[in-house]
Amino acid sequence: MAKTLEELAEYIKGAHADAQTTIVFGELTVVVRADKIVPFTTWLRDDPECEFKIMIDICGVDYPNRTPRFDVVYHFLSISKNRRIRVKLGADDVMPVPSIVSVHPSADWFEREAFDMYGIAFAGHP
C-alpha cells in the first residue's frame, strides 16, 4: 500500500506512464492529457490503492500568453485513505475537454462554471 505521497506518485506513474507527478508543499499534482481524463479519473475512483471517490471541485486557470491557454484543475478526496490529489490538464478554447460527469456526477455544475467563466467546453457534458 502506498503510505506516502511519494509512494502514491510512483504507484500512479507505474499505472499511467504518461502521467506527470509533482509534490510541492505537501500536495500531489498529477498532469494528464485531456483525452485521458475520463479513464484516469475512473481509475482514481475505482483502484483500491487510490479510492478517490469524492470530487471536490473543478476550476479553470487562464494563462493568456501560454499555449495551451488554460489549465483545467480537478481536486479529489479519498476518505478511506485520508488523502487529497490534484489533477491538471491543458486546454484551449477550441478543442473540448471530455466531461467526467459519467464518473463523478457532481462535475456537472463545475464544468458549467468553467465554461461560463473561461469558455472551456466539455464534450459530452449534459
Side-chain angles (χ1 to χ4, degrees), residues 1-15 21 23 28-30 40 43-44 47-52 78 81-86:
M1 178 174 142
K3 295 188 189 276
T4 67
L5 285 181
E6 292 79 26
E7 290 173 337
L8 180 59
E10 287 303 314
Y11 181 74
I12 290 170
K13 286 192 286 189
T21 62
I23 299 172
L28 173 59
T29 300
V30 181
F40 185 73
W43 178 82
L44 281 178
D47 184 84
E49 285 292 316
C50 298
E51 295 186 348
F52 288 99
S78 171
K81 307 291 183 187
N82 192 27
R83 298 184 179 140
R84 295 178 184 266
I85 191 171
R86 175 183 303 113

Side-chain angles (χ1 to χ4, degrees), residues 74-91:
Y74 304 81
H75 294 102
F76 298 98
L77 170 66
S78 171
I79 298 235
S80 63
K81 307 291 183 187
N82 192 27
R83 298 184 179 140
R84 295 178 184 266
I85 191 171
R86 175 183 303 113
V87 177
K88 293 187 346 180
L89 58 85

Side-chain angles (χ1 to χ4, degrees), residues 103-124:
V103 182
H104 292 282
S106 61
D108 187 354
W109 187 86
F110 293 103
E111 289 179 355
R112 180 61 191 202
E113 277 293 296
F115 175 76
D116 288 346
M117 299 293 290
Y118 296 100
I120 301 169
F122 292 85

Side-chain angles (χ1 to χ4, degrees), residues 21-71:
T21 62
T22 57
I23 299 172
V24 178
F25 300 118
E27 297 179 354
L28 173 59
T29 300
V30 181
V31 179
V32 298
R33 292 188 354 224
D35 63 335
K36 303 286 186 184
I37 193 64
V38 173
F40 185 73
T41 55
T42 302
W43 178 82
L44 281 178
R45 181 194 66 195
D46 297 343
D47 184 84
E49 285 292 316
C50 298
E51 295 186 348
F52 288 99
K53 297 184 184 293
I54 299 174
M55 190 209 67
I56 302 295
D57 67 6
I58 302 171
C59 56
V61 183
D62 188 2
Y63 297 98
N65 299 319
R66 188 191 81 179
T67 302
R69 179 174 176 166
F70 302 107
D71 278 348

